[in-house]
Amino acid sequence: MIKSILNVLFLSFMLSCNTAVKENKEQSDMCTKLPMAADGIVRLSKIEVYPEFLEEYVKYATEVGEVSLRTEPGVLTMYAVSEKENPCMVTILETYANREAYKSHITSEHFQKYKQGTLHMVKALVLSDQTPLNPANRINNFIQ
């Protein structure tokens, strides 16, 4: 009897989670994401932007991040931040489901627009691949 009640509760929980995920997807107009594979990429892109181009750079970075998250199943995270004390120092946490997803991303039209449009704005760029300390931990990154 207790097992039956637990099974019903579990099924109810799973259905409510699936409904919440579907509602979030519809609200945010996001594509269905691929799972992280063994060859998935976790990267910090550390970018120093020339001060006179900061506002324009932010527009490019915001656009490419949003389009990537909405349209690319293999782009799992694209989260850009700038330092409070030095806003020209931008860090982007990027995660890709696999190497192929990364290759697809960097050849996409929206990434090439960002890359070519911001070349003159970037003073320094460091791409730093990371190893998650807890591989079971995942970020659910989406645009509303």
Side-chain angles (χ1 to χ4, degrees), residues 12-77:
S12 296
F13 172 76
M14 292 305 289
L15 286 172
S16 67
C17 287
N18 286 339
T19 301
V21 168
K22 285 179 187 174
E23 286 172 3
N24 279 341
K25 184 183 180 310
E26 288 169 3
Q27 288 174 358
S28 63
D29 196 29
M30 298 273 293
C31 63
T32 302
K33 296 301 180 180
L34 298 172
M36 179 68 87
D39 67 339
I41 297 171
V42 177
R43 173 172 292 155
L44 291 176
S45 295
K46 301 172 185 178
I47 304 147
E48 183 176 1
V49 179
Y50 290 108
E52 62 269 26
F53 297 115
L54 183 59
E55 188 175 328
E56 186 179 5
Y57 177 84
V58 168
K59 288 178 186 174
Y60 271 98
T62 300
E63 179 183 348
V64 74
E66 285 193 17
V67 172
S68 300
L69 281 172
R70 288 186 194 282
T71 65
E72 294 185 66
V75 175
L76 306 179
T77 309

Side-chain angles (χ1 to χ4, degrees), residues 64-106:
V64 74
E66 285 193 17
V67 172
S68 300
L69 281 172
R70 288 186 194 282
T71 65
E72 294 185 66
V75 175
L76 306 179
T77 309
M78 191 70 54
Y79 194 76
V81 296
S82 65
E83 294 180 9
K84 281 188 179 198
E85 298 299 318
N86 184 1
C88 291
M89 298 301 296
V90 174
T91 302
I92 305 172
L93 170 62
E94 306 171 43
T95 62
Y96 302 92
N98 52 46
R99 298 245 173 241
E100 191 58 40
Y102 174 71
K103 289 177 188 174
S104 176
H105 172 68
I106 62 174

Side-chain angles (χ1 to χ4, degrees), residues 112-128:
Q112 287 301 313
K113 176 184 173 186
Y114 158 81
K115 187 67 175 176
Q116 298 308 312
T118 61
L119 278 174
H120 67 285
M121 301 177 194
V122 175
K123 184 176 182 179
L125 169 64
V126 175
L127 302 177
S128 177

